[in-house]
Amino acid sequence: MILPVKKPDGEVLDWRGYTWSAVLKPDFTWQRDMNFLATTDLSIGDLRMPFTEEVKYCILGISATLFLIALSILVWQLYRYRSYAPRKPLDELLSSDGKPAKSGVFDTETQMPNFKVEKLHEETWRLSNCLSMGSHVELLSLEDQQEEVVVQGSLRFSLYYDQLQSRLVVTLLEAWGLPVRDFSRSVDPFVRVRLLWAGQEKEKEEQSSPSLQCVLHEWQSRMVKDSSSPTFGDQFFCSLEEEDVPHITIRFEVKDFDKFSRHRILGEVRVHLCDMEISYPLEVLKDLQAPQKDLVGEVLLFMKYLPTLQRLEVGLLKIRAPPQPSKKNQALYGKISVLCNQFKLRHQKSTVKTWREVTVFNEVMMFTLPDPQIKECCIVLSVYEIPAAKKSSKRLVGQVTFGKGKSSEDEHWSLMMRSIRQPIAKWHQLLI
């Protein structure tokens, strides 16, 4: 046992050298620190938001309002899903023998072959009121809506068929007296040449029905800038059998060049080789005539309009057009464009299919159109040919234009508007 030591001055020291009073009166600093930490923990647990009661109730009211709005949106979406459930696919609307089902949901004006929808893309497109000026626009509807063209001028060219080489040579010489533009008093002409061929089997058809043409070759001359009487000097040639020469029609289209591809047609000249002797070079001078269109095929389309969803469905089912006999590995695809007041709103392309006598697509394209636009819009289907090896180059095969305009209404369009929510199928002529 260690006893405290007493100093001479009366203080008592312990064995560590501290006074006995310090031992009897210990330091309470560590106890105050522990009390402070306990008080701090209690304050953090009892923290309160530094807002008044009015602000707290306002925040609570806003939270309750947002919750009710979200709940209302959820209920509305569930109601729309239950009310406007998607209908049966189109292939279920037809019976197994290819005839319309007994329910009468599918209506057609012509005999409807059996088909099956292989592809169904449903997208909501944002409508754009801007005209696609930079794209290749060559729509027949735009040409139809233009004012009547005053045709004037003439075209001089030469034709020659080389029997030894079985080659047809077409030479563009010059044009005279072409009309100029009203605003610029100038014209930039060029000529597009198409070689149309009608098969021998068409001779057996009725004379009243239009003959089905096939574009064998297509050429385009150089553009002569600012000249109403241009000199071309372009020469084109192609291989052609002698027995096919009487079935050939050459179509010369004189156009005014436009940098936005909206070329203005000035007139055309048609030459039937069956009426001409071209075993030697023959120069021909003919006046320009009003442009006409040639029948190159038929297209089976269906349309359906859903007014509640403001959606127009256009189905590309089949294209019946004879392929070019001189070419192999040809492919086709279609592009459907929606126009309103000459403005291109939206377009969609189909997949590429091998070109056959009857090319089957069975694809549906959907467009969202409000009521004011559906009353004034028109549909343009453009069919293009591309080589199977490369997809960069394309050639216009033909176009179909239908819809409701200010002056007239297409029969297919009127049937669709009278049969709401029902697909209406019809064959259309493919023209070029």
Side-chain angles (χ1 to χ4, degrees), residues 208-423:
S208 57
S209 61
S211 60
L212 192 63
Q213 304 285 339
C214 177
V215 181
L216 293 182
H217 297 279
E218 183 175 347
W219 305 293
Q220 182 172 314
S221 70
R222 64 185 182 90
M223 185 264 295
V224 181
K225 192 171 182 62
D226 195 11
S227 176
S228 60
S229 298
T231 300
F232 297 103
D234 297 282
Q235 189 175 76
F236 313 101
F237 57 88
C238 66
S239 299
L240 189 66
E241 298 297 332
E242 187 174 359
E243 58 268 15
D244 294 333
V245 173
H247 304 283
I248 295 297
T249 299
I250 303 179
R251 175 180 168 183
F252 300 89
E253 293 181 355
V254 183
K255 295 187 176 183
D256 183 16
F257 180 81
D258 181 76
K259 62 180 180 180
F260 298 120
S261 299
R262 301 187 61 174
H263 309 306
R264 183 170 61 102
I265 298 182
L266 304 178
E268 73 172 17
V269 173
R270 290 174 181 264
V271 176
H272 303 281
L273 298 187
C274 60
D275 303 330
M276 310 184 72
E277 178 61 37
I278 56 173
S279 58
Y280 56 91
L282 176 64
E283 287 193 6
V284 181
L285 175 63
K286 282 197 172 186
D287 294 333
L288 298 181
Q289 305 295 328
Q292 299 178 357
K293 298 179 180 62
D294 295 287
L295 179 63
V296 295
E298 294 179 316
V299 180
L300 179 60
L301 298 171
F302 90 86
M303 292 193 304
K304 182 172 67 174
Y305 180 58
L306 304 176
T308 306
L309 300 179
Q310 296 183 350
R311 187 175 67 191
L312 175 66
E313 299 180 2
V314 183
L316 175 59
L317 305 181
K318 297 181 180 181
I319 295 179
R320 183 164 58 197
Q324 298 182 9
S326 61
K327 294 184 179 181
K328 297 181 180 180
N329 298 327
Q330 297 170 288
L332 289 179
Y333 76 92
K335 183 177 73 172
I336 297 180
S337 304
V338 178
L339 291 92
C340 182
N341 296 328
Q342 300 187 15
F343 283 89
K344 187 176 179 180
L345 299 180
R346 184 61 65 182
H347 73 273
Q348 296 188 39
K349 295 181 181 180
S350 69
T351 57
V352 179
K353 301 286 185 178
T354 303
W355 191 351
R356 306 181 185 277
E357 193 73 25
V358 178
T359 308
V360 180
F361 286 88
N362 290 339
E363 298 182 12
V364 182
M365 305 177 191
M366 300 184 180
F367 303 91
T368 301
L369 295 176
D371 289 337
Q373 292 181 344
I374 196 66
K375 295 178 181 179
E376 301 296 337
C377 74
C378 66
I379 308 298
V380 178
L381 168 64
S382 302
V383 180
Y384 292 95
E385 175 221 347
I386 58 174
K390 55 181 181 179
K391 299 183 179 180
S392 58
S393 61
K394 63 180 181 179
R395 183 183 66 85
L396 179 66
V397 177
Q399 288 182 320
V400 177
T401 304
F402 57 95
K404 182 176 180 181
K406 296 182 179 179
S407 57
S408 63
E409 184 170 343
D410 185 79
E411 180 183 1
H412 194 184
W413 190 268
S414 59
L415 289 174
M416 179 197 68
M417 297 305 294
R418 290 200 301 264
S419 305
I420 299 298
R421 299 183 181 89
Q422 296 184 11

Side-chain angles (χ1 to χ4, degrees), residues 108-112 300 425-427:
T108 178
E109 284 296 305
T110 60
Q111 184 178 0
M112 181 60 193
L300 179 60
K426 196 175 187 301
W427 286 94

